[in-house]
Amino acid sequence: MSETRSDVIPRAAAGGRATSAPIMGRAAEPTIFELSESGRSSYQLRTTGIPERSLADLIPGDHLRPEAPPLAEVSERDLVAHFTRLSARQFSVDLGAYPLGSCTMKYNPKVCDAVAGLAGLAQVHPGAPAHLVQGWLEILVDLEAALCEITGMAAATLQPAAGAAGELTGLLLMRAWHDANGEQRRRVIIPDSAHGTNPASVTLGGYEVTTVPSDERGCVDMAALRSVLDTDVAGIMLTNPNTLGLFEEDIAEVAEAVHEVGGLLYYDGANLNAILGVVRPGDMGFDIVHMNLHKTFATPHGGGGPGAGPVAVSERLVDFLPGPKPARLDDESGDRFGWITPPRSIGRVHGWHGNALVLARALTYIEVHGADGLRRVAERAVLNANWIRRRLAGSFDVAYDRPCMHEVVFSASALRKDEGIKALDVAKRLLEEGFHSPTVYFPLIVDEALMIEPTETESPQTLEALADALERIVAEARSGDHSATEAPRTTPVRRVDEARAARTLVPTFDARGD
Ligand SMILES: *Cc1c(COP(=O)(O)O)cnc(C)c1O
């Protein structure tokens, strides 16, 4: 290193390793560590003439690590090429429709990223004192108000980092409420169509799961529900529209019956796409609702995050919310915004204040749409799913054939019986057609389930092409061509051993190669 202090400036294309190989179809992309060359970097230090001080002068010795971390050393040019290749390797979210049911892989407008990238938002330390981050606090307060307006609830916490984290928070709130009433209830009711995170969260929250079956219309079986309701029930967790894409028709009755035994109603609002601006969980009688901002409110997701799972509650649970909580202060003379801790708070559920840039994206999405725009999101999401339902009714059985909400569940049961082509084969074959696979084998109560959520962001032309592709796949199988069992044949990664991948997960790469 030189004797003078330096500024950091980007270095252009040093020792580029980029190739002109096509992005799609590459068999192997090395890890960033395999691309590493000692001494190569994405910046260079320009001498400025100002005397340089060594790290040891600036940082106390016991805070310095003995050796540099084994980070990859690559040029900016190689770095960009590497991640661009990875982003388009198996399937590119920017290049095609992603009809993965229950996941809401809508197109995320770039304006949300532009806002989240503003230096005043992105480069703020989460521990900055309140008087330096008044703007950030206002964003959080406004988002809480918007989410409460959308859900019909009284207050919300923005801390939980994902849907499942929101569920656990909601169950801890449920427990705190019953504790405060001097009650020790043990059971939480969940319909058999629920997302797998629901029973997992109930167990983590220290409760026992009681499952209620769905009736022949795909909704909660009211008689079965009544038969398990007593004063040992802490509450019910409902997804509405449920995971079959159907609106729970007896929702008001469910709410009344559960409240009658003193239980609380939890709304799994991971996906609000179908109801935005149309109906509100609060008006249906719910006490707790979590939302997945990364699904409904436009943060790119998949591959594990970042997400945000705010939890909104009715009036009676407001005092139990996690703290600290951003708040508008009444204090005329001092800061307009600050942090408060609700009087009977269950405490923190996340370090700092959740995934803040996801929260900034969500408020942007809400603000640019406005109430009318959000309602149009819901109307088009529902229209698109119903168009797909009708169009593909001749190719697959529709699990519950009545108007659906934002997603539709088909069954490939007949195709499997007649031709030996499973839902999984159809899903893999669709990758060859340039579409991401739909969700398969969920919900568990539908045999050979294929769950399609087109979202509101796909055009009629794209939906047409998706439907054409699925029809082609079915026609091909019906004509005796069973090559779908070999699909995907055009992607760099073919079929993986899913059981082994789940059981022998290797999520790390040893940079030293030993
Ligand atoms: C996605 C989803 C969840 C879980 O959300 P994560 O953010 O993945 O933890 C819970 N319930 C439903 C209905 C979902 O679709």
Side-chain angles (χ1 to χ4, degrees), residues 416-487:
R416 175 168 199 174
K417 194 152 62 38
D418 301 344
E419 305 293 340
I421 298 298
K422 305 189 294 285
L424 181 73
D425 301 322
V426 174
K428 297 293 186 194
R429 176 73 181 77
L430 194 59
L431 279 167
E432 297 179 351
E433 302 280 339
F435 294 96
H436 194 276
S437 303
T439 295
V440 289
Y441 302 109
F442 177 77
L444 302 175
I445 55 176
V446 175
D447 187 45
E448 294 292 326
L450 280 161
M451 182 195 221
I452 296 183
E453 181 181 3
T455 83
E456 74 284 5
T457 54
E458 298 307 329
S459 68
Q461 288 77 9
T462 301
L463 295 187
E464 186 95 43
L466 171 64
D468 286 348
L470 282 161
E471 280 177 353
R472 214 159 32 241
I473 291 167
V474 173
E476 167 193 289
R478 293 273 179 210
S479 75
D481 175 353
H482 295 169
S483 57
T485 54
E486 301 294 316

Side-chain angles (χ1 to χ4, degrees), residues 26-384:
R26 283 173 58 100
E29 173 66 22
T31 66
I32 193 82
F33 294 102
E34 289 164 299
L35 289 174
S36 178
E37 293 286 347
S38 175
R40 193 166 286 173
S41 88
S42 293
Y43 62 90
Q44 69 184 9
L45 301 174
R46 181 165 63 93
T47 57
T48 59
I50 300 169
E52 183 172 287
R53 293 166 69 191
S54 73
L55 275 182
D57 291 337
L58 298 166
I59 300 173
D62 56 348
H63 288 187
L64 278 174
R65 48 192 302 157
E67 57 189 75
L71 298 178
E73 298 177 84
V74 289
S75 69
E76 182 174 322
R77 205 269 165 279
D78 287 354
L79 189 71
V80 170
H82 173 66
F83 284 107
T84 302
R85 287 194 299 264
L86 278 182
S87 73
R89 204 166 110 78
Q90 189 76 353
F91 182 83
S92 172
V93 70
D94 283 331
L95 289 179
Y98 210 125
L100 194 65
S102 195
C103 294
T104 315
M105 303 301 283
K106 64 170 75 178
Y107 173 76
N108 300 293
K110 297 294 177 217
V111 65
C112 302
D113 288 340
V115 170
L118 293 174
L121 298 185
Q123 290 174 22
V124 169
H125 191 282
H131 72 272
L132 293 181
V133 289
Q134 290 290 296
W136 243 129
L137 290 173
E138 185 167 6
I139 286 173
L140 300 181
V141 166
D142 285 355
L143 178 62
E144 179 186 349
L147 295 177
C148 287
E149 175 65 30
I150 288 167
T151 53
M153 308 304 273
T157 172
L158 305 175
Q159 279 188 22
E167 290 173 26
L168 179 60
T169 304
L171 286 151
L172 295 177
L173 288 166
M174 208 182 260
R175 177 176 288 287
W177 161 257
H178 289 301
D179 279 352
N181 294 333
E183 291 203 70
Q184 299 294 320
R185 295 176 175 232
R186 286 177 304 164
R187 296 189 293 122
V188 172
I189 298 173
I190 302 181
D192 61 0
S193 58
H195 195 269
T197 49
N198 289 189
S201 299
V202 166
T203 307
L204 267 180
Y207 285 112
E208 284 164 33
V209 177
T210 298
T211 308
V212 287
S214 305
D215 61 18
E216 70 288 344
R217 310 226 340 118
C219 292
V220 172
D221 184 327
M222 278 310 293
L225 174 65
R226 288 188 198 285
S227 75
V228 296
L229 279 178
D230 59 30
T231 53
D232 195 32
V233 171
I236 185 170
M237 288 183 92
L238 268 188
T239 307
N240 189 33
N242 64 27
T243 62
L244 295 162
L246 304 174
F247 197 91
E248 288 287 347
E249 291 178 337
D250 299 323
I251 199 75
E253 246 183 294
V254 171
E256 203 185 306
V258 175
H259 278 154
E260 213 158 82
V261 296
L264 295 177
L265 277 100
Y266 183 105
Y267 190 104
D268 180 334
N271 194 311
L272 292 182
N273 244 24
I275 66 161
L276 282 176
V278 183
V279 288
R280 310 192 305 170
D283 299 336
M284 298 174 210
F286 282 83
D287 304 286
I288 308 169
V289 46
H290 92 257
M291 291 148 269
N292 279 16
L293 301 188
H294 45 293
K295 288 180 182 170
T296 311
F297 300 101
T299 278
H301 61 291
V311 176
V313 296
S314 60
E315 203 63 63
R316 55 183 171 162
L317 293 172
V318 170
D319 285 351
F320 298 93
L321 283 173
K325 221 175 147 293
R328 196 179 293 273
L329 304 177
D330 289 330
D331 179 7
E332 285 287 311
S333 52
D335 292 338
R336 288 173 58 226
F337 298 92
W339 299 100
I340 57 155
T341 296
R344 306 162 97 176
S345 175
I346 60 166
R348 271 188 186 279
V349 295
H350 192 277
W352 305 114
H353 205 71
N355 289 326
L357 293 173
V358 179
L359 305 177
R361 282 188 181 86
L363 184 63
T364 307
Y365 185 82
I366 292 168
E367 293 285 349
V368 299
H369 277 85
D372 289 352
L374 291 180
R375 191 185 170 98
R376 276 200 302 280
V377 166
E379 288 167 352
R380 287 179 193 177
V382 171
L383 179 64
N384 281 357

